[in-house]
Amino acid sequence: MNKVNSLFAALWQDYVDRLSPSAGKVHQLLSNGDELINDHIALRTFNLPKVGLQALAAPFLAIGYKACDTYYFEAKKLKAQHFEHPDPNAPLVFISELLVEELSVETQKIIHSLVEQVPAHYFATSDFLSSGRPWALRFEEYQTLAKESEYASWLAAHGYGANHFTVYVNQLEEFAEVVDVNQYLRDSGFAMNEVGGEVKGSPEVYLEQSSTMADKVTVSFIEGEFDIPGGFYEFAKRYELPNGKIYTGFVAASADKIFESTDG
């Protein structure tokens, strides 16, 4: 687990430093000084050969993770896959990729120009997973992408890093339900994602999820610095399957709405 722990420690540090400063505050509020269990992280990429889902999966596969279910999000033009480690205490990993060929010619042109800037050796070590943006980007390009795909604009602006970490609600002593976590955070001044309802999923699909709305963070573009949506913090409660095991997959309909935590 040492390699797993060090990889996730690097991802967490980048996430709270660069993408979601409020996650550190939420973590403190919910942890009571104890370590919180991270249910899963999510990573985003484009489905182009050099930078596709498999490029992001490689560092996880190298430390024992195995590929599991595949998911499709037709409206958002995404494909995703989740990965599990033999150690049940290791977080799940959810990696999605944008189906670039399904986008407009103008958007495809911008994305290809970004990916062309990535050096071939960039993915040689796992450091790239928390390294940010390996390309230069104009704010006007970001705005053009945002009109067609929030996912594309977010990824173009932030590059590589955890889009979100996730608190495993089952372990919390003070809260048994996702809705109670939501209310506590709302009372503490955090904005929650209410797209598709404040709690996505149900015991019937063995998973309930909610999330904060993404922080606004300052990002450098060629034209200067602008404040745009960064990362968010998610909360997941998992239920037992009929065989007595805890459900470890994801629910596409719920994940679809969780993606919108970075809309803004």
Side-chain angles (χ1 to χ4, degrees), residues 17 19-20 50 66 84 93 99 126 134-135 142 161 179 238:
D17 288 349
L19 294 162
S20 186
K50 191 166 30 172
K66 303 282 184 231
E84 298 182 16
V93 176
L99 306 176
S126 63
W135 45 67
Y142 168 81
V179 69
R238 295 181 177 276

Side-chain angles (χ1 to χ4, degrees), residues 67-81:
C68 296
D69 299 335
T70 300
Y71 311 84
Y72 291 92
F73 304 88
E74 288 183 22
K76 290 185 171 60
K77 300 177 171 61
L78 302 173
K79 173 190 171 186
Q81 194 166 23

Side-chain angles (χ1 to χ4, degrees), residues 40-54:
H40 71 271
I41 62 160
L43 301 165
R44 296 180 174 188
T45 194
F46 301 117
N47 74 329
L48 301 179
K50 191 166 30 172
V51 302
L53 194 155
Q54 292 311 314

